[in-house]
Structure formats: C-alpha cells, structure tokens
Amino acid sequence: MTRRQLMRHAGWFGGAVVLSVAGGEVISHIADHHDQVAAAAASDPNALRFVQVSDSHIGFDGPANTDVTGSFEHALDRINSLGFRPDFVMHTGDLTHLSTPAQFDQVKQMLSTARTERVFVVPGEHDAVGDGGRAYLRTFGANTSGDGWYSFDTHGVHFLALVNTLSLEKAGHLGPEQIDFVRKDLAAVKPDTPVVVFSHIPLFAMYPQWGWSTDDALQVIAMLRRFSSVTCLNGHVHQLFTKTEGNITFHSATTTAYPLPAPGHAPAPTPQVLPARQLEDALGIRTVAYREGDQALALKEERLT
Amino acid sequence: MRSYARKTRSGAVALALAGAFGLLSACGGAGGGKAGGGLQAPPGGSLAGMPGATGSASPSMPGMDMPTPSGRAGGGTQAPPVAGNAVVIKGFAFAPAALTVKAGAKVTWTNKDSDAHTVTSQGSGGPLNSAAMNTGDTFSYTFAKPGTYRYLCTIHPFMTATVTVTP
Ligand SMILES: [Cu+2]
Ligand SMILES: [Fe+2]
Ligand SMILES: [Fe+2]
C-alpha cells in the first residue's frame, strides 16, 4: 500500500480516531486526552472488560479460509489467554455460514468454551438462511424479546443487543416492533449512563451500495442522541472501521473467518483470498474496557497472528 | 486490519501509545472482585445469552429442526430461446441480471460459485424461495403470470436481479 493509499484509508476513520500498534496488536481509540484514563481502565480488575468477536461463519468452505473452525478456535484461545477473565463475550453475528442445525450446534459448543461469565450473540444474515432466523432463535433466543433483541446492564453501562438481519432486503432492517422496544427500554436510562449498542449490520451508512447500512436505524439513532456517551459495535463488514457522529461512535469489527474488500475497492463484497500469514493478520478479536466514571470506552483490537 | 496496522506501526502516535500499553501489560494482574459477573437483566426480565465456560448455569436450550423452503418446478414451457431461460450465478452475481421470458417459461438458476446462494423474491409474498444452493445446485421456477419479478440472494443481499415475464 502506498502512502497516498494509506491517506485515503486513514480518511475512512475520520479525524478523531487513531489506530496504533503495541506489541503486534492494533489499538483503535478516540484520540483525545483520555488516552491515559482509557489505558488504565484496561488493566483495572474492577473495570468492565468484555470481548467482541464476530463473523465466524462456521461451515464456510472456500479458498478465502479453508479452516474457519480452526480460526474460530484460535480466537477462543486468545479470549481464554487474555490475562483476565472478560465479564462477557459478545458474538455479533454470522455465527454460522448457512444456518444448518449442525453449524448452530458446533458454534454453540465452541462458544461455551469461552472462559467468561456469559456469552451473548446477535444474528447475522447468514444465521437466517432459508428460515427467517427460526433455527437461530431456537438455539440462542432464550430470554430475548420479539425476534431476539434484548438489553442488560453491568458496571453502570446499559447494553442493547439489536437484530437487523431477520427481515432485511438489501440493507439491514430493525422494524417498528423493535424500534418500539428500544424506545421503552431507553426510557428508564439516565442520560449520563454510557450506552453500548450491538448489531450485526452497521447502524450507520458505512457503504449502502453493498447493503452496509440499516434502512430504519435513524429512528434509533435519534433516541440515542440524549445520552452523553454511546458506542455502537457491529460486525458484517469483516474489517475494522470507526466513525464518530457527535455523541455516538460506531466501530465495525473484523472477522475470525475471511476478509472482505474495503468499500468500493472491488466489484462486490466477496471473500478475499490472501496468503496464509496475511489472512491471520486480517482476522481478530476486540477487547473493550470501561471504568465507571470514565468518559468513553477503550477499545483494543487483537489480530489472530 | 493488516494494511492499516502495518502502516501505522511507523507513526508517531502509534509509538506514543505503544508506550502506554506496554506499561499496562506489565502491571495488569488477574481479575477479581467481580466473581458474579454483575450482569443484570432489565426489571422483570431474564438475562439473555448463555453461560460461558466459567459462568453460572441457565436454562437449557432446546433442539432445532429446519423448515423446507418451497419452490415450484416443472410445467409446460412455451419454448422461448433456450439461452433466455437460464441464469448463472457466478462471481456473486446473477447473469443475466435482467432476464425477459414469456409467460409459462421455466427459468433455471445454476450456482457456479464456490459459495452458496439463494434465489429469493424481494418483498413478502413473492414466488421465488429457493433453499441455500451449493456449488452446482440448480433451482427452477415456472412463471405463469406476466410481470416484473425482483429477487435477491438472502445470504448476500447485494446480489439483486429481475425476471420480466411478458404475455
Ligand atoms: Cu449469495
Ligand atoms: Fe459475515
Ligand atoms: Fe453478515
């Protein structure tokens, strides 16, 4: 990649966000004077620390990754050797590649080996192939509302897990019933409570030409405006990407399966075939830390190399 | 991502932050004091998700089965040009993306990609509803009524195409 190409890529991240590398790990963070505070949170055992993993595509078999199971095992090994036990692990969808019973069974068993208090998931469009998400909901839908959405709280942070892949057309779709759930759910949350929103497809318009957006997300975004700090974490695009819009920061996660091209850099978002070593570099997990009283969450990206 | 990482490695900001995190990993001890996890469901609700390897037990999950998507095939074709009745799925695209056939024509889709695809009507209530098609699989549908039929692959919703059926 040339310097000029880098500048173009850097532009994607907006002026406020910086990716940096420490000990072979990429760190993305908001470049402000809270860096030290954020770093301190990551090492504080009393802080909230959770892991986001995404797009394992169990069952995929193609030249872009001939061993997605091995890659996901690798990701779970990383989670289990972080040096701390995360409060929870969130998988942001495309757990399976084709929604078969065997694939759901396998990914559920693998997720249950994560050394953490609880594993949460939201569905990707690959988890709703042929049945509108019924097999997904039978496997992972316990204690959720509607078509699988839910919320929870810990460490003074409010979490929303949304479903925008079960009734999608070209782009993600939340639907009026879920938007109503969000309205009622947020009504009781104080404006100074940090809010984290999980979804598979981005809630921001990352690249609508490829369906990398959610057609009715603005109704939810409007409800999130009154909070001082909102962090939206998504999958689906198989690459790191960060964007800040006022009080809301969006972070797309990478995948444990196979990379997709940067927006517009290929005719279509098709699996990218890389040499083995470069493939591992493109795959990863994300750890997120937050200490009560801090202004923002601290994100750390770890490659599977 | 790889390319970003490789490039920022040489950046001044990267070096500054690397220092901060290097310090961290030196003093980051094992967690404690949060053994219960402190995860709370909303008032009146139960916690979603499932226990991790070190989490507390929760209700067991039921098994699952798969419904079978429907798809009609067969019927009397009217014999428009043969080439006009076939759609190839290759390189994550339908070719041709716009197909015109006469009413009564049977159209067959063939997946020539290494990845799976579906042929699914856009909007609810459309007639096209294939199962996931693996490499080499075909799906057929006979269009009885004139009209424009928009469809996509639900696995890769950016894959869209149309069949126009003329009287
Ligand atoms: Cu497809
Ligand atoms: Fe995916
Ligand atoms: Fe996806």
Side-chain angles (χ1 to χ4, degrees), chain A:
Chain A
M1 183 182 277
T2 65
R3 178 146 209 96
R4 203 183 49 189
Q5 280 172 320
L6 168 74
M7 296 313 284
R8 199 168 65 215
H9 279 285
W12 282 97
F13 290 89
V17 176
V18 173
L19 283 187
S20 51
V21 175
E25 293 161 349
V26 187
I27 297 158
S28 92
H29 65 104
I30 306 299
D32 63 18
H33 61 282
H34 292 282
D35 284 352
Q36 297 283 346
V37 179
S43 68
D44 181 349
N46 293 313
L48 165 70
R49 291 177 299 190
F50 67 91
V51 172
Q52 182 190 3
V53 64
S54 203
D55 293 86
S56 47
H57 286 262
I58 294 301
F60 173 85
D61 185 19
N65 188 341
T66 53
D67 185 16
V68 292
T69 301
S71 297
F72 193 48
E73 256 163 22
H74 194 169
L76 289 161
D77 287 346
R78 289 297 285 272
I79 292 170
N80 289 341
S81 57
L82 284 169
F84 60 88
R85 199 191 76 173
D87 294 287
F88 65 86
V89 172
M90 165 60 81
H91 189 309
T92 45
D94 284 354
L95 297 124
T96 73
H97 194 58
L98 294 175
S99 311
T100 68
Q103 289 168 6
F104 276 121
D105 205 45
Q106 186 179 4
V107 74
K108 188 181 165 192
Q109 282 188 38
M110 292 179 77
L111 280 170
S112 70
T113 66
R115 284 188 207 114
T116 183
E117 173 66 21
R118 206 155 187 87
V119 176
F120 296 100
V121 299
V122 293
E125 75 285 356
H126 283 262
D127 302 315
V129 176
D131 73 342
R134 273 174 287 173
Y136 166 82
L137 288 171
R138 272 194 295 274
T139 313
F140 292 109
N143 300 326
T144 64
S145 306
D147 278 336
W149 45 82
Y150 54 93
S151 67
F152 60 95
D153 292 87
T154 189
H155 293 71
V157 179
H158 187 66
F159 293 87
L160 270 169
L162 302 184
V163 176
N164 57 2
T165 53
L166 298 195
S167 57
L168 85 168
E169 287 275 308
K170 290 181 194 173
H173 186 73
L174 295 162
E177 194 192 338
Q178 183 167 205
I179 290 167
D180 205 49
F181 165 84
V182 174
R183 180 178 298 111
K184 288 177 182 143
D185 181 82
L186 288 177
V189 182
K190 294 201 191 93
D192 60 347
T193 302
V195 177
V196 176
V197 184
F198 297 106
S199 64
H200 178 65
I201 296 178
L203 295 175
F204 67 105
M206 178 162 165
Y207 198 65
Q209 294 92 320
W210 285 353
W212 291 1
S213 62
T214 300
D215 57 19
D216 52 358
L218 285 180
Q219 294 177 64
V220 164
I221 298 299
M223 297 175 207
L224 293 167
R225 286 294 174 206
R226 73 181 175 89
F227 296 94
S228 49
S229 164
V230 179
T231 308
C232 296
L233 303 176
N234 64 270
H236 186 58
V237 301
H238 295 213
Q239 61 196 285
L240 299 176
F241 186 91
T242 294
K243 182 183 187 186
T244 300
E245 287 178 2
N247 62 323
I248 306 177
T249 302
F250 303 89
H251 298 278
S252 298
T254 189
T255 164
T256 67
Y258 53 83
L260 290 173
H265 285 218
T270 57
Q272 300 291 288
V273 180
L274 299 174
R277 169 64 200 225
Q278 285 179 40
L279 172 63
E280 286 190 319
D281 278 357
L283 311 180
I285 65 168
R286 165 183 285 162
T287 61
V288 183
Y290 174 76
R291 214 163 46 170
E292 280 184 62
D294 286 355
Q295 195 183 332
L297 284 74
L299 275 68
K300 185 174 169 193
E301 312 291 348
E302 301 201 24
R303 290 179 287 169
L304 289 193
T305 31

Side-chain angles (χ1 to χ4, degrees), chain A residues 126, chain B residues 89 92-94 113 115-118 152-159:
Chain A
H126 283 262
Chain B
I89 312 175
F92 293 76
F94 297 103
D113 265 342
D115 205 357
H117 299 288
T118 74
L152 48 66
C153 165
T154 57
I155 308 171
H156 312 100
F158 59 90
M159 295 171 58

